[in-house]
Amino acid sequence: MSNKRPLTYADAGVDIAAGNALVKMIAPLVRATARPGADAELGGFGGFFDPKAAGYTDPLLVAANDGVGTKLKLAIETGRHDDVGIDLVAMCVNDLIVQGAEPLFFLDYFATGKLENGVAARVVAGIAQGCKQAGCALIGGETAEMPGMYAPGDYDLAGFAVGAVERGEQLTGEGVMPGQLLIGVASSGAHSNGYSLIRRILTDGGADLAAPAPFDAGRTLAQALLLPTRIYVKPLLPLIRAGHIKALAHITGGGFLENIPRVLPAGSRALVAAPQLPPLFDWLRAQGGVAAAEMARTFNCGTGMVLVVDRAAADGVIAALAASGESASVIGEIIAGTRGCEIHGAPGQWGELAAWTASHDA
């Protein structure tokens, strides 16, 4: 007979009690995201949502999932865990609104080597805040403690969102045609794209994340780089339901060139004026010696969402967005041509750029 002490799950590095304690800790945060159709209570094997209680009669469901990417590394390295949950929600729900869908509910996945409830609770608090900004319920999630899979202190996030739009009211881009205008809505920063390049620029330049940001004296460099992704759901949903928006493009990795053509029908081409780079992006360009075309396909360069609207509706849409606290302006137009995006630059910030072109027709 062996005299060895019987092993437990805790001996293997998994603390069930800590997981249960986390669920109790975050329950009030989750409850605060309740909305019609969901009671936002935890504890079951799955979360329920009732589309009829949310006011839908014949809904199409739209699903999206995403993560935060290597922006998490900056959050972990600087101990700033409070806003990455907003990023997680934003990257999912912004992909729903471009289909014309209202985000209904959200689920998260938090994975780490050793559960630290203080960190996990701060992350989930950000997720709950993002859900409130988007008007969706946090109806469940998963916390995975996996010893040996992650370096000490590291964690990863994934998010899953489901939205609804009444049948026949979804945005498909079918209403896009030459002569319509493109409206750009400002981003809050780099959002959650391009952070592997950002981190390389920081490392090569020996940047001090605790020092004031060279482009924003009111924040440290870490604070400026970790500003959460803007959530556009509430400003855009009324405009979509009123029929003022013909198509939407969420500007993530790939910039204008890759994202705008995704909502264009054959025979329509986007002609965009290269934007004046906000200070953050101009600093990244200069610090990294990043070429104009590389900036354009890596970062949002100050525009987080692009709307396609009829010319007659443009002024009213911009005014409505301004009333919702969004900064928006006309940045281009739809012309006849091969499906794709053409971006014209100007001397100065964009250096050698004359024009980029990306075509998406075979």
Side-chain angles (χ1 to χ4, degrees):
M1 294 288 292
S2 172
N3 291 322
K4 285 185 178 179
R5 179 177 64 85
L7 291 175
T8 66
Y9 212 3
D11 292 326
V14 178
D15 190 341
I16 295 175
N20 292 336
L22 176 63
V23 171
K24 290 182 179 179
M25 191 183 305
I26 65 176
L29 302 173
V30 174
R31 199 173 296 119
T33 70
R35 54 151 294 159
D39 60 14
E41 290 288 342
L42 296 179
F45 288 98
F48 286 94
F49 192 94
D50 181 359
K52 185 174 291 187
Y56 288 90
T57 56
D58 185 19
L60 294 175
L61 297 182
V62 185
N65 72 294
D66 211 332
V68 181
T70 59
K71 187 175 186 177
L72 280 180
K73 290 294 289 182
L74 285 182
I76 292 166
E77 290 166 5
T78 59
R80 301 186 63 84
H81 308 285
D82 301 273
D83 291 335
V84 289
I86 299 176
D87 286 297
L88 184 67
V89 175
M91 296 304 289
C92 295
V93 298
N94 285 342
D95 278 353
L96 295 182
I97 195 67
V98 300
Q99 312 293 317
E102 175 193 11
L104 300 179
F105 60 86
F106 190 85
L107 300 99
D108 70 281
Y109 178 80
F110 179 100
T112 187
K114 181 175 175 54
L115 187 60
E116 299 178 26
N117 280 352
V119 170
R122 290 166 67 186
V123 172
V124 175
I127 293 171
Q129 177 59 35
C131 286
K132 287 193 283 188
Q133 289 182 23
C136 62
L138 179 57
I139 65 170
E142 173 69 10
T143 301
E145 192 172 27
M146 299 186 288
M149 287 288 290
Y150 297 90
D154 280 356
Y155 60 87
D156 199 8
L157 294 174
F160 310 86
V162 173
V165 57
E166 290 289 1
R167 190 180 303 274
E169 297 180 7
Q170 65 269 26
L171 293 180
T172 63
E174 291 181 358
V176 175
M177 63 185 66
Q180 292 170 337
L181 296 180
L182 299 169
I183 293 175
V185 186
S187 66
S188 55
H191 285 182
S192 295
N193 300 104
Y195 275 82
S196 293
L197 178 55
I198 290 174
R199 289 169 52 243
R200 176 63 184 269
I201 292 170
L202 296 175
T203 299
D204 287 356
D208 180 1
L209 288 167
F215 50 87
D216 185 349
R219 296 184 175 94
T220 67
L221 185 54
Q223 289 172 330
L225 291 173
L226 288 170
L227 285 173
T229 304
R230 199 158 186 84
I231 293 175
Y232 298 99
V233 171
K234 290 183 178 179
L236 292 177
L237 196 57
L239 294 171
I240 293 169
R241 288 175 169 170
H244 297 317
I245 297 176
K246 304 305 178 183
L248 285 166
H250 184 200
I251 307 304
T252 55
F256 292 148
L257 290 177
E258 297 295 329
N259 290 293
I260 295 177
R262 295 167 68 178
V263 302
L264 301 182
S268 294
R269 188 171 188 80
L271 183 63
V272 179
Q276 179 76 13
L277 286 178
L280 161 64
F281 296 102
D282 195 35
W283 181 80
L284 290 170
R285 178 198 60 78
Q287 282 291 109
V290 184
E294 190 69 17
M295 290 291 297
R297 69 181 185 181
T298 304
F299 300 116
N300 65 56
C301 294
T303 301
M305 191 72 73
V306 171
L307 292 59
V308 183
V309 303
D310 289 333
R311 287 180 180 269
D315 288 344
V317 168
I318 291 172
L321 289 168
S324 298
E326 304 294 335
S327 176
S329 62
V330 174
I331 62 169
E333 62 180 330
I334 302 297
I335 61 173
T338 304
R339 188 172 69 97
C341 183
E342 186 175 327
I343 305 179
H344 289 265
Q349 286 184 319
W350 293 103
E352 77 286 358
L353 173 64
W356 311 285
T357 300
S359 295
H360 286 250
D361 281 344

